[in-house]
Amino acid sequence: QVQLRQSGAEVKKPGASVTVSCKASGYTFSDSSIHWVRQAPGEGLEWMAWSNPSGATVFAQKFEGRVSVTTDASINTAYLDVSRLTSDDTAIYFCARDTRGFIDFWGQGTLVTVSS
Amino acid sequence: IQMTQSPPSLSASVGDRVTITCRTSQAISVSLAWYQQKPGKAPKLLLYAASALGSGVPSRFSGSGSGTDFTLTISSLQPEDSATYYCLHYYLTPNSFGQGTKLEIK
């Protein structure tokens, strides 16, 4: 069955960077794009970024220059890097699959806590 | 593209018909999806292309609309429908989500 298995929870200090990984299985990874979405505690969903198998990327304007997304097709894994963390980046980060132009399946989420 | 979802919350009884609306700041054809999220869980796809039912989604869920105005309807509310619902436009990237509607069962 389709799975998107994300890396475990992280605790980071302000100013640090974090990498979240997302390993896909149960479908052809190279036939899909990956979205990244985050959810701050008690808040709604916030779309962050998108990447496709060709390496094209799009970012929400607020994350431009501070967020990068990469994929390693050899191990069916996508990565989200967020730098210069602040307390406002405390959130659950989700990866999500896109096979038909929209998000159709989600990872379980990774909690990133930014605290001094 | 800005998304306006309403209401922010609602409370309804089992068997009720419930409608949630989503409005976009520009026309997006039918490039709209709806998701259901339960506490502590990842969202789940309900509908795409404004009205197409996702895999395994009960037929009491339906969607309509095109252009800038969309609705999600639950025809006969069930206890397990207690959740937060989000719309998402995918007309272009970046995509964006509505603010969410928290649905409570009375």
Side-chain angles (χ1 to χ4, degrees):
Chain A
Q1 74 280 23
V2 173
Q3 287 192 348
L4 292 173
R5 188 164 297 174
Q6 297 186 223
S7 49
E10 302 265 12
V11 179
K12 296 291 183 180
K13 293 194 181 302
S17 298
V18 68
T19 298
V20 177
S21 67
C22 171
K23 184 171 178 61
S25 60
Y27 71 100
T28 304
F29 183 72
S30 58
D31 286 348
S32 73
S33 301
I34 293 288
H35 296 253
W36 291 92
V37 175
R38 76 178 186 179
Q39 186 169 39
E43 301 295 322
L45 301 172
E46 181 176 30
W47 190 91
M48 298 179 67
W50 167 91
S51 64
N52 75 2
S54 302
T57 56
V58 177
F59 299 94
Q61 188 173 16
K62 70 179 287 186
F63 298 111
E64 286 272 11
R66 201 167 67 87
V67 167
S68 65
V69 293
T70 55
T71 55
D72 185 341
S74 69
I75 55 171
N76 292 349
T77 301
Y79 301 92
L80 170 75
D81 292 286
V82 184
S83 62
R84 304 192 300 277
L85 290 165
T86 72
S87 57
D88 289 341
D89 294 313
T90 292
I92 297 173
Y93 289 77
F94 294 99
C95 63
R97 185 186 74 165
D98 172 351
T99 60
R100 294 174 283 176
F102 55 89
I103 292 172
D104 61 7
F105 190 82
W106 298 69
Q108 85 274 18
T110 296
L111 175 62
V112 175
T113 303
V114 183
S115 173
S116 55
Chain B
I1 297 176
Q2 307 303 313
M3 311 290 286
T4 303
Q5 187 177 337
S6 61
S9 64
L10 75 146
S11 181
S13 300
V14 172
D16 283 355
R17 182 182 181 88
V18 168
T19 298
I20 297 168
T21 66
C22 187
R23 176 166 289 175
T24 59
S25 60
Q26 67 181 72
I28 62 166
S29 184
V30 292
S31 298
L32 190 102
W34 291 95
Y35 300 88
Q36 177 192 66
Q37 186 181 32
K38 296 185 177 181
K41 299 293 187 181
K44 172 190 169 185
L45 176 68
L46 292 177
L47 296 145
Y48 62 95
S51 61
L53 214 56
S55 175
V57 176
S59 58
R60 64 180 180 275
F61 291 93
S62 64
S64 65
S66 67
T68 60
D69 292 294
F70 302 86
T71 59
L72 167 68
T73 299
I74 308 173
S75 61
S76 179
L77 197 62
Q78 298 301 304
E80 61 267 30
D81 299 335
S82 177
T84 302
Y85 294 83
Y86 295 92
C87 58
L88 168 76
H89 94 76
Y90 54 92
Y91 184 69
L92 44 74
T93 44
N95 298 172
S96 51
F97 287 94
Q99 296 83 1
T101 296
K102 187 172 184 178
L103 173 57
E104 173 195 88
I105 310 297
K106 287 180 185 174

